[in-house]
Amino acid sequence: MSQKPKSRGRPSSQVEREPGGGGEEAPSTSRGPGGAASQRRAQASPAPGPRSQKQLELKVAELVQFLLIKDQRKIPIRRTDILRHVVGDYKDVLPELLRRAAERLEYVFGYRLVELEPRSNTYILVNTLEPVEEDAEVRGDQGTPTTGLLMIVLGLIFMKGNSIKETEVWDFLRRLGVHPTKKHLIFGDPKKLITEDFVRQRYLDYRRIPHTDPVDYELQWGPRTNLETSKMKVLKFVAKIHHQDPKDWPAQYCEALADEEARARPQPAGPSPATAPAPTLSPVS
């Protein structure tokens, strides 16, 4: 047993200059001192090959959760902690992981990942929803991360023609790491949040689609959304996420303009005879 790595590990220069002469215990990728610990690390950590999209997505989801947890203390997040606790042997794709995590943080949670100073290797999360939500519109929960999820669903509904199947919503959210049947670190029960809480708050309408097998439901904007925000503001939110201009979606932009013009017209005094009195809305506890 004592002959295993130590007799070959001493002359490090030979290991480096003769990659093929170290036997099976000293792989050619080893550039360390040649000792037993170095050789074990070389064997345990071979040169990483290409990762699948699924592997990258899982690691991105892990990184996002880590950043959200660390941000709760409002203390800058150190890159060394990210490397130690999350990244592991994915160091070679760290820039890609950070880029994808930053996109998901902004798109799903309304946070921007910001490096405090150039090359400081410390990060914070900054709320990005307020500049879009002028006058604190669509702020039923005072800007908590669930606001970002609500805005995403509202954007999906508008971009899909003002109505979307529930299955399509979950198909999209799964790609962002939000699943209807899995407890989420931030959202808790995402399905309950979307199909019950947001519905009870009247941000969404949720209806069964007749004659569907298996049964499916559709989501539309609720009356509170129409009162508190507009199609143009939601379109601007979608455009901001994609780093595009609202005019890049001509059909939605024309619809949003028409909605703005309709809102600007003087409204007749008193409720329309065909309009039922607006329900009293109270926030969900």
Side-chain angles (χ1 to χ4, degrees):
M1 269 198 229
S2 59
Q3 304 168 356
K4 204 170 184 180
K6 297 200 174 189
S7 60
R8 291 195 290 268
R10 279 287 176 202
S12 60
S13 57
Q14 289 183 5
V15 173
E16 293 178 18
R17 287 195 296 268
E18 300 173 6
E24 60 180 4
E25 294 291 339
S28 60
T29 55
S30 174
R31 295 192 304 239
S38 173
Q39 291 173 12
R40 280 198 298 270
R41 281 196 302 271
Q43 286 181 317
S45 304
R51 273 80 174 205
S52 68
Q53 285 301 311
K54 184 175 181 181
Q55 287 175 310
L56 290 174
E57 282 299 313
L58 288 172
K59 186 58 68 172
V60 168
E62 186 181 345
L63 177 55
V64 167
Q65 289 199 358
F66 176 80
L67 292 169
L68 288 168
I69 291 171
K70 295 290 283 186
D71 181 67
Q72 291 175 0
R73 299 174 60 196
K74 298 303 174 189
I75 297 173
I77 306 159
R78 298 181 301 176
R79 183 188 288 243
T80 52
D81 289 335
I82 294 173
L83 289 167
R84 183 182 303 116
H85 298 295
V86 182
V87 174
D89 58 358
Y90 281 66
K91 290 179 184 178
D92 57 305
V93 289
L94 177 61
E96 175 71 4
L97 295 177
L98 285 171
R99 183 188 67 78
R100 292 193 185 196
E103 287 181 354
R104 184 171 297 181
L105 283 164
E106 185 161 10
Y107 198 29
V108 181
F109 302 98
Y111 289 131
R112 189 168 73 252
L113 181 65
V114 177
E115 189 168 11
L116 276 179
E117 296 172 0
R119 294 183 295 278
S120 69
N121 293 329
T122 56
Y123 303 88
I124 59 171
L125 301 185
V126 177
N127 190 329
T128 63
L129 292 177
E130 286 191 9
V132 176
E133 298 172 47
E134 299 162 9
D135 301 323
E137 277 120 355
V138 195
R139 293 287 296 280
D141 52 8
Q142 297 304 308
T144 64
T146 56
T147 305
L149 184 64
L150 173 60
M151 290 295 286
I152 287 171
V153 176
L154 294 178
L156 282 171
I157 292 169
F158 177 51
M159 303 304 281
K160 286 286 189 176
N162 301 306
S163 180
I164 188 171
K165 291 181 178 179
E166 183 186 2
T167 48
E168 292 183 74
V169 172
W170 293 117
D171 286 345
F172 181 83
L173 292 179
R174 280 189 191 94
R175 301 203 299 268
L176 302 175
V178 180
H179 301 261
T181 57
K182 292 183 182 177
K183 202 81 170 173
H184 194 275
L185 175 71
I186 302 299
F187 302 138
D189 183 342
K191 183 173 176 66
K192 177 180 179 295
L193 179 63
I194 291 174
T195 63
E196 295 182 31
D197 296 349
F198 290 158
V199 172
R200 208 156 58 240
Q201 291 173 327
R202 305 307 301 274
Y203 283 117
L204 297 174
D205 282 337
Y206 182 64
R207 301 188 184 94
R208 178 175 175 174
I209 304 173
H211 314 301
T212 53
D213 186 17
V215 173
D216 203 354
Y217 293 80
E218 66 180 0
L219 289 158
Q220 297 177 343
W221 284 20
R224 184 167 179 169
T225 295
N226 286 305
L227 290 170
E228 293 188 0
T229 191
S230 68
K231 293 178 178 179
M232 185 60 79
K233 289 190 174 84
V234 171
L235 180 58
K236 285 180 180 178
F237 177 83
V238 173
K240 181 175 182 287
I241 287 166
H242 290 282
H243 307 291
Q244 292 181 242
D245 190 277
K247 294 178 183 177
D248 292 338
W249 293 275
Q252 285 84 0
Y253 185 73
C254 289
E255 183 178 345
L257 275 180
D259 180 61
E260 294 289 288
E261 292 171 3
R263 289 168 181 269
R265 290 192 208 106
Q267 298 297 315
S272 167
T275 304
T280 302
L281 303 179
S282 57
V284 176
S285 58

